[in-house]
Amino acid sequence: MIAASWPRDAPLDERLLVVDPRAGSFRDGRVGDLARLLVPGDLLVVNDAATVPASLAATTTAGDAVEIRLASHVSGPVWRAVLLGTGDRATSGTPRLAIHEAWRTRTEHRPPPPPVRPGDVLAIAPRFDARVEALDDRLPRLLTLRFSLDDDAFWPALYRHGRPVQYAHVARPLALWHVQTPFAARPWAVEMPSAGRPLAWALLGELRARGVRVSSLTHAAGLSATGDPAVDAALPLPERFDLPAATVDAIAETHASGRRVVAAGTTVVRALEGCARLTDLREGVPRDSRGGRGGSLVPGEGTTDLRIDARFSPRIVDGLLTGLHELGTSHRSLVQAFAPEPLLARSWTHAEASGYLDHEFGDECLVLPGALGA
């Protein structure tokens, strides 16, 4: 499938592949059709996390250029991050400029970063650096970093010196506003929760006018790829979420009325299903007694390490709005929890032959039982 290389100007006209597991079929549509595919009483849950400029150019103590990609916030000035080496532009210009041009090289083709040790300092800008606190025993590119600035100074420095994470399929450098959803709020995501990107306010208003409810949560969407096979196999890393009480109530009311909860993005699925699992663990519910629709949700913050694939039976989420993901990625594995792989394979083959676009600025897919009237 061809990667979308730039944000498009008419999100409601972008293509929507509608997959109905109940009917065992699919059809083509447009994102703007979503208001007619959902029915009164359905609930659409979106991730309102804003995307931070999570790519930082830095130099090691030895003067080597590296890229820091933030992966997740631990607490205060401490973050987990992935270290990347330079790309094909790294032989000219300053190290910092070289790193900011390195995205033109596919991450899997970039050389590994120079080795670092706990105690090493990665210099980002005058009075702004990060000290290596720990390395992951199995994944040496995965670091724990302590930044030199506290919150009051860290966030302005991050927004001044950081850039959005981006990949080689993008045509030119991205600005931060290119990687925000229309309803972006708290700066929690290191990559855009891209399923929500084309959900324009006009569409959300039409959904509400037709009796479809819209609620939100915040989930710290993490890195989608690093180019390191070992790190990529470990993705997604544990990620934090915040589930408002109003959203918990809306989900309970939707289930009670027999309508459907639709997640706008895989991050929403991880937050909701991860919260249900955490609730079970807190309440001592035996694993083999779980299952069925309507697991318990408790509002508030949490962290989930839940990995979802074809073996998983969702209890909270009935359907999923998502991008088109390649086989073998964690995103595609998650979609398999909502539809059988043969149906997904047939629909994806059709999408590729029909010119659908993938990746973060690509077209969308709605996987929803009954979406085609069956």
Side-chain angles (χ1 to χ4, degrees), residues 74-223:
V74 179
S75 63
V78 180
W79 288 71
R80 297 185 83 193
V82 174
L83 205 61
L84 279 74
T86 55
D88 58 4
R89 299 296 181 98
T91 56
S92 62
T94 67
R96 198 157 279 109
L97 175 61
I99 284 296
H100 281 321
E101 291 292 311
W103 60 268
R104 299 178 187 275
T105 302
R106 293 175 63 90
T107 52
E108 60 267 33
H109 296 158
R110 288 166 66 169
V116 295
R117 297 177 298 180
D120 285 356
V121 174
L122 305 176
I124 301 163
R127 297 180 296 281
F128 184 33
D129 56 47
R131 183 177 299 275
V132 179
E133 287 218 325
L135 306 178
D136 189 288
D137 292 337
R138 297 178 300 107
L139 306 170
R141 281 202 197 190
L142 188 59
L143 317 175
T144 301
L145 299 178
R146 179 176 293 273
F147 287 90
S148 58
L149 302 175
D150 61 17
D151 275 357
D152 288 343
F154 170 78
W155 289 102
L158 178 65
Y159 277 80
R160 173 174 295 181
H161 299 289
R163 296 193 181 187
V165 169
Q166 70 178 83
Y167 297 93
H169 61 266
V170 179
R172 50 192 182 273
L174 291 167
L176 192 57
W177 58 79
H178 290 134
V179 292
Q180 306 298 343
T181 63
F183 33 79
R186 286 184 286 180
W188 277 32
V190 298
E191 288 192 21
M192 175 174 56
S194 56
R197 176 191 52 79
L199 299 180
W201 283 108
L203 176 58
L204 297 179
E206 185 179 356
L207 285 166
R208 288 192 171 103
R210 293 176 64 88
V212 177
R213 303 173 73 173
V214 180
S215 294
S216 66
L217 56 80
T218 310
H219 180 100
L223 296 173

Side-chain angles (χ1 to χ4, degrees), residues 3-20:
S5 60
W6 197 250
R8 288 168 285 172
D9 294 331
L12 299 187
D13 292 334
E14 293 175 20
R15 303 183 74 174
L16 177 68
L17 179 66
V18 184
V19 179
D20 186 339

Side-chain angles (χ1 to χ4, degrees), residues 16-27 33-45 207 212 254 258-264 293 316-322 335 337-340 343-344 347-348 365-374:
L16 177 68
L17 179 66
V18 184
V19 179
D20 186 339
R22 186 180 300 162
S25 61
F26 57 87
R27 77 174 183 212
D33 298 335
L34 188 64
R36 292 177 291 280
L37 292 165
L38 303 184
V39 300
D42 283 347
L43 172 67
L44 179 68
V45 184
L207 285 166
V212 177
T254 301
R259 295 305 187 187
R260 302 168 297 185
V261 174
V262 180
R293 194 167 185 250
I316 307 298
V317 179
D318 301 292
L320 172 64
L321 178 69
T322 184
V335 178
F338 293 90
L343 174 59
L344 292 176
S347 59
W348 256 244
C365 175
L366 176 67
V367 183
L368 181 64
L372 300 181

Side-chain angles (χ1 to χ4, degrees), residues 52-90:
V52 303
S55 170
L56 291 160
T59 53
T60 67
T61 304
D64 296 310
V66 292
E67 179 187 356
I68 299 169
R69 287 194 180 177
L70 301 181
S72 61
H73 184 218
V74 179
S75 63
V78 180
W79 288 71
R80 297 185 83 193
V82 174
L83 205 61
L84 279 74
T86 55
D88 58 4
R89 299 296 181 98

